[in-house]
Amino acid sequence: MSLAHTWSVALVGLEGHLVEVEADIAQGLPKTTLIGLPDASLSEARDRVRAAVVNSGEKFPDRKVTIGLSPATLPKTGSHYDLAIALSLLTAAGVLEPVSLSRTAIIGELGLDGRVREVRGALAMTLAASRAGFDRIVVPDLNVSEARLVPGIEVYGVRSLRQVLALLRGTEIADEAPPRAEPRLLSESLTRVPTVDLDDVIGHREGRRAIEAAAAGGHHLFLHGPPGSGKTMLAERLAGLMPDLSMDDSLEVSAVHSLAGLLTGEAELVVRPPFIAPHHTASLASLVGGGSGVPRPGAISCAHRGILFIDEAPEMHPLTLDTLRQPLESGFVEVHRAAAVAKFPARFMLVLAANPCPCGLSGTEQGVCSCTPQVLARYRQRISGPIKDRLDIQRQILPAARALADTEPTESTATVAARVQAARDRQAHRYRETVWRLNSQVPGPVLRREFPLDDPSRQLLEDLYTAGRLTARGLDRVVRVAWTLADLSASPRPTVTHTHEAYQLRSGHPLTPLSDVRPLKSDVRPSKESPNDH
């Protein structure tokens, strides 16, 4: 047989496309041609496959060989097509029976000695093959753990081309030495959440309340205060309050991490919300995603269904920080390149931490601020108004009154996480017939129309709006937080007390009882919310 085909998978973002790998052996001068929009690394597969076939004890066809990758209009990138090309070629040469490769997807990079090397995105490729109805998939042995996370498809892990041929022929092969994992220098920002507990935090009653409300409703959070006051400490304990991911979310997050190269060795499903903390010097491409050819996911996609924590947020380049505006609203990011457009999920909870000024002493009792008014104004403007307007909860974190002990009893992460889980269960029940899961995801008009507040709460918000304390967008975000506070207190709907506390959490004002608040004065509304001017 001079014509044969196998199947592999191409990834554009997280979207998998089945690729038919055809091999034709014809009369003519010895030459190998690869067609189908391959990139540079894929074009080099001709030499890798030739060496791997010869060093595996097989004869490479000494004729004109044409290898086609279909669909031809889809750009192909990466070296994971090597194994499929080799098996298609050997089937065309009569070494293998065509029936042995039916309904089987094949991925894997070949070394010159015939070893099958690890590839990125094996989980996402296995998901695509399973959804396309394939019965089996052949993957590198180092990727077999993550590929087997996908139900409904049989996974074969192989170490070499010689082993694959033996399996397809039904013969035995001596055990081979396990392949070595390729060393990878992973960014320190792409880490799992540290194992810390909320009862380590001394004081910070308002900070604790803020992260509890943020975890319960999925609200974006802004913590600002002097250095060493506990902003990072609170942010690191936020992920522990969030419940485990559902099975669908777990597969989706694991697929993103697989494509980013974060699942290695004995991979397991990502069942906990990821905690991603890029450094403030991170580039725009590392945050959003990018790369030559087909883009790769960035930090915001790796934080999908989890937390993106940016410490020292004003030190990040303003244009880089402003790229978060569209993903915060849409829940995904599209990276456009000449070769392809990749779409990655990016529904994360944004947590920003910032000092009040470059010296860190503005508005505190720890010393005298040495910053000039011009420096102070420029520093505060580095976080733009549109970004601040998307942050539901804003809290000033001051140093605890006591450094070594606290007279107030502290709650553990487990205790607070139980309340958060109960609050999320109430939201899931309330929105069971909609596409939303959390209060932070529900559009303002829908929330006001389908789930109206009581009259005292509406009057309070109307007074705040008339007095210029809230914009229209800010009013909707206060309503969302109010519903979260009601869910945390097991109330069927927000009361005026919940609404007042939600406004305080939004504005950054100290949490005081409603009875202690002086009547609002109606005045001319400013063009921007005064609470944003921290």
Side-chain angles (χ1 to χ4, degrees):
M1 182 177 185
S2 61
L3 177 65
H5 70 95
T6 55
W7 292 92
S8 191
V9 184
L11 286 180
V12 180
L14 279 188
E15 186 179 358
H17 300 268
L18 271 296
V19 173
E20 186 178 12
V21 181
E22 299 175 292
D24 177 75
I25 303 175
Q27 296 294 334
L29 294 176
K31 181 182 179 182
T32 303
T33 304
L34 183 61
I35 59 177
L37 292 183
D39 69 344
S41 62
L42 181 52
S43 296
E44 294 170 351
R46 296 171 296 185
D47 300 318
R48 288 194 301 268
V49 170
R50 177 185 291 273
V53 168
V54 173
N55 290 325
S56 298
E58 302 295 335
K59 185 179 184 305
F60 194 88
D62 195 17
R63 289 187 289 173
K64 181 181 178 181
V65 176
T66 303
I67 299 168
L69 306 177
S70 299
T73 57
L74 178 69
K76 321 295 189 308
T77 182
S79 57
H80 64 275
Y81 299 96
D82 291 1
L83 186 56
I85 291 173
L87 294 180
S88 179
L89 181 65
L90 292 174
T91 302
V95 176
L96 297 173
E97 293 294 330
V99 68
S100 61
L101 296 173
S102 61
R103 310 303 302 165
T104 303
I106 303 164
I107 61 174
E109 176 187 339
L110 286 175
L112 300 184
D113 58 355
R115 286 180 301 166
V116 180
R117 299 179 181 271
E118 183 183 15
V119 298
R120 289 190 177 189
L123 176 56
M125 295 179 195
T126 307
L127 273 171
S130 176
R131 291 168 179 169
F134 278 74
D135 302 324
R136 296 172 297 276
I137 186 169
V138 177
V139 302
D141 190 64
L142 290 174
N143 293 116
V144 70
S145 297
E146 61 179 285
R148 284 178 177 165
L149 299 175
V150 180
I153 188 170
E154 195 172 359
V155 178
Y156 292 90
V158 295
R159 298 176 178 176
S160 68
L161 178 59
R162 186 181 291 107
Q163 183 185 12
V164 179
L165 297 176
L167 289 173
L168 295 175
R169 290 166 175 165
T171 59
E172 296 183 359
I173 184 174
D175 290 339
E176 299 181 347
R180 293 178 298 174
E182 296 294 332
R184 288 179 178 171
L185 182 61
L186 299 181
S187 169
E188 293 181 359
S189 67
L190 301 179
T191 56
R192 302 292 174 85
V193 60
T195 55
V196 292
D197 201 281
L198 194 57
D199 59 9
D200 301 331
V201 181
I202 298 176
H204 292 304
R205 180 183 65 87
E206 294 185 0
R208 288 165 167 269
R209 181 63 167 171
I211 65 172
E212 180 180 351
H219 302 288
H220 305 304
L221 178 64
F222 180 35
L223 303 175
H224 57 97
S229 58
K231 305 183 295 293
T232 302
M233 179 176 60
L234 288 168
E236 288 179 344
R237 284 152 179 80
L238 176 57
L241 305 181
M242 300 171 66
D244 290 344
L245 301 174
S246 65
M247 179 56 70
D248 290 341
D249 289 345
S250 184
L251 279 173
E252 187 177 29
V253 172
S254 299
V256 174
H257 285 207
S258 172
L259 189 57
L262 302 182
L263 292 184
T264 57
E266 294 298 324
E268 297 180 355
L269 276 178
V270 181
V271 296
R272 292 293 303 156
F275 182 87
I276 307 299
H279 194 261
H280 62 263
T281 59
S283 66
L284 189 150
S286 68
L287 198 65
V288 176
S292 59
V294 178
R296 298 292 183 184
I300 64 174
S301 295
C302 293
H304 181 58
R305 302 296 181 190
I307 296 171
L308 179 69
F309 174 52
I310 301 179
D311 203 358
E312 305 293 346
E315 301 294 339
M316 179 171 278
H317 195 285
L319 292 180
T320 303
L321 196 58
D322 277 346
T323 58
L324 301 177
R325 289 159 59 176
Q326 183 262 342
L328 286 174
E329 295 291 337
S330 63
F332 64 87
V333 59
E334 285 188 349
V335 183
H336 291 251
R337 293 292 183 269
V341 177
K343 182 177 180 179
F344 299 108
R347 189 166 294 282
F348 55 90
M349 184 192 305
L350 177 63
V351 180
L352 300 182
N355 293 328
C357 65
C359 76
L361 298 178
S362 176
T364 69
E365 299 178 355
Q366 295 179 315
V368 179
C369 176
S370 60
C371 303
T372 65
Q374 293 80 6
V375 170
L376 192 60
R378 284 197 302 268
Y379 188 80
R380 291 173 175 174
Q381 290 170 359
R382 290 182 67 85
I383 303 179
S384 66
I387 287 292
K388 287 182 179 179
D389 200 38
R390 287 166 169 80
L391 302 174
D392 300 338
I393 300 175
Q394 305 181 25
R395 282 286 91 194
Q396 183 182 27
I397 306 298
L398 297 175
R402 296 175 180 268
L404 300 178
D406 188 21
T407 57
E408 297 182 5
T410 59
E411 292 182 312
S412 66
T413 293
T415 301
V416 180
R419 288 202 298 269
V420 170
Q421 179 65 67
R424 289 205 170 198
D425 290 342
R426 294 185 185 95
Q427 295 170 63
H429 178 74
R430 181 165 61 247
Y431 306 129
R432 62 188 181 278
E433 296 181 357
T434 70
V435 298
W436 306 294
R437 306 183 187 182
L438 301 174
N439 292 323
S440 60
Q441 301 171 359
V442 184
V446 175
L447 203 59
R448 293 193 302 269
R449 182 177 62 254
E450 303 295 336
F451 308 98
L453 299 177
D454 58 15
D455 291 337
S457 296
R458 287 201 299 270
Q459 185 60 50
L460 174 63
L461 292 178
E462 187 65 35
D463 292 343
L464 290 169
Y465 181 80
T466 303
R469 308 288 181 86
L470 283 175
T471 63
R473 176 186 287 178
L475 188 146
D476 286 340
R477 294 189 178 274
V478 169
V479 173
R480 295 187 186 108
V481 177
W483 271 104
T484 297
L485 297 177
D487 292 328
L488 284 171
S489 61
S491 177
R493 65 190 301 186
T495 64
V496 67
T497 302
H498 296 136
T499 306
H500 170 68
E501 184 182 359
Y503 166 70
Q504 291 180 318
L505 288 172
R506 161 77 178 175
S507 65
H509 294 163
L511 299 180
T512 56
L514 182 61
S515 57
D516 296 344
V517 179
R518 291 177 297 178
L520 296 173
K521 294 181 179 180
S522 297
D523 48 19
V524 179
R525 290 192 289 116
S527 58
K528 294 184 179 179
E529 285 187 54
S530 56
N532 283 335
D533 300 329
H534 294 292

